[in-house]
Each structure stands twice: as structure tokens, then as C-alpha cells.
Amino acid sequence: MRTTENTNSDVQNPNRRRFLQQLASGLFVSSLNAQAFADELQRTPWMTEGPFYPYNRLPLDKDNDLVIVGKSLTPAIGTITQLSGRILDAKGNPIKDATIEIWQTDSNGVYLAQGSTGYEDKNFQGWGRFETDSTGTYRFRTVKPVVYPGRSAPHIHMRVSVKGKQSLTTQLFIKGHPGNARDNVFGQLRSIKEQILVAREFAPIDGSKIGEVATMFDIVLGATPQEGERGGFRPGGGPPPPPPGGFGGPPPGRGHGF
């Protein structure tokens, strides 16, 4: 009788069979890890804080309405903007009790940190703070950012802290603004993908009788600050060195801008 040879090398070689099983298992796990990574949200990039955070000039009014200062009835000059969004982790979970701060120039291009320059809008708060709710939501009422000498891209500075620890500093830009392409800070972003992550439309609010606009900007934490690359990360905190002319000097951009 003719003997039929078993040509199945997996059966003949248990070591090879074990290797293939381990390889298949490893590929499956790698596939799961890759899918989990793909399911994570894209993290909001760190950007420079710049020299105009009002460390020594925080306003007495520390709420999230930058358009009205204290009990004044006179609003700030500019296009009133409803800014809102959520603070999330990389998996999309909302972060409750995160503190978000924003600061920006007024419509004349002057930061609060510069003090009295003769150009500032005294009815603009310049800086605001909000603590997120259980959905991670934040909201501010401010003015639409403007171009000023030294920065061709209108922007709003933003800083997020969780449990008292600074977790992100970034900037929000106007999507499609022609000045973005010429802006030295916007240009420091490493890819078009990062630029898309920090640019949003400022869309007119239907029915607004005063021409308000609204923008929504979800912030995803988890990015690693690139010290020296973006210039905005100082592990010890504290104010940056003063700009040329000091914090009370001329409006930003008369020689430089952040």
C-alpha cells in the first residue's frame, strides 16, 4: 500500500505552527492598537503665549463677558462674538472643572497688558476666565479679533488649566483670513493639519440686530509642548520678559507682535 506523505508543514513543524499563531495574534493586537489610535481625536497644538498675558494687570472683572466691564452700560467697540466650545481629552471625554482663559487685543490693536497707551478701548475687558461644566463646555462673549501691525492674522490667545496645572496654551484664528498665510506665528505650525485645527469660521448669527458672529472651537488636550519651537512653554510659569518699550509701550506690532 502506498503511504501518503503529510505535506502540511504546519503539522510537521510545531515550532513553525506556534510562530504563525503568535504572528497572527500580534498582527491582531497591532490592528486593534492602530484602530484605537485612529479613533483618538487630533490634539490641539501648543502655540506661543506671547508677551501680552496680563500677569500684572488682571482686571477686577474676571468673568467670561469681555464686552462689558463691571457695571458699565457701554459695550466694547467691535463685532461682538459668541465664542464657545468644549474641553476634551484625546478620547473625546469632556473635562469638567477645567479653567480656560482668553486674552486678545481690543479693536484698536491694544492688549490689556500694555496699560494706558492712549489708544486702548477702556470698555473692553481684554481678558476673561471660565470654568467648564460637566459637559466640558465653555463660553465667552468677546469681540472679533483684528489685524494689528506685527501680526497679520487676527487671533485670540487661549490657555487651559486642569487641576491647577497648565495643560495647553494655543491661539484661535479666523478660517480663511488672508493674513494667516503671512503671519509669522501661524506659519510656525508644522503642518496644514495643525493649521486647520486652530482656525474656525466666525459666522454671522441669524437674527442678530447688532451684527454678532459666533464661532465654536473644541480644544483637545494631550499635545506635548515644543519648547523653543513655539516659544510659549515655561514649566515654572511666571511672566515673560517685557517686550521692547515695556508692557506700557506702544500698541503691539510697532516693531513686533505676538
Side-chain angles (χ1 to χ4, degrees), residues 31-165:
S31 176
L32 288 178
N33 290 339
Q35 182 60 44
F37 182 79
D39 289 342
E40 289 190 347
L41 300 178
Q42 296 179 29
R43 296 162 176 82
T44 303
W46 280 75
M47 299 192 72
T48 180
E49 179 180 287
F52 291 106
Y53 179 91
Y55 284 100
N56 301 318
R57 294 184 180 274
L58 289 177
L60 295 176
D61 193 0
K62 296 180 173 63
D63 61 11
N64 63 331
D65 186 353
L66 283 65
V67 176
I68 295 292
V69 178
K71 297 181 180 180
S72 173
L73 299 178
T74 305
I77 299 170
T79 302
I80 294 178
T81 299
Q82 303 289 346
L83 166 62
S84 62
R86 297 173 298 161
I87 308 298
L88 308 169
D89 66 18
K91 296 185 181 299
N93 299 311
I95 299 178
K96 181 179 181 293
D97 297 331
T99 299
I100 178 168
E101 304 168 77
I102 69 169
W103 66 100
Q104 64 183 98
T105 71
D106 60 25
S107 293
N108 297 323
V110 180
Y111 281 100
L112 179 65
Q114 293 179 275
S116 179
T117 65
Y119 302 94
E120 75 278 6
D121 179 1
K122 296 182 183 299
N123 295 309
F124 183 60
Q125 189 168 300
W127 172 93
R129 179 172 62 194
F130 192 82
E131 191 171 280
T132 58
D133 59 19
S134 59
T135 65
T137 298
Y138 71 86
R139 55 185 61 86
F140 290 93
R141 192 167 78 125
T142 185
V143 296
K144 188 176 180 179
V146 298
V147 170
Y148 57 82
R151 288 295 303 272
S152 62
H155 59 282
I156 298 174
H157 295 267
M158 311 184 80
R159 184 164 76 179
V160 180
S161 301
V162 179
K163 297 181 180 179
K165 181 179 179 181

Side-chain angles (χ1 to χ4, degrees), residues 186-215:
F186 189 78
Q188 290 176 12
L189 292 165
R190 293 175 294 184
S191 66
I192 294 178
K193 181 184 293 184
E194 283 194 339
Q195 293 177 353
I196 291 173
L197 288 174
V198 295
R200 293 292 182 274
E201 291 185 10
F202 285 62
I205 297 177
D206 291 340
S208 173
K209 296 181 180 180
I210 57 174
E212 295 172 285
V213 299
T215 188

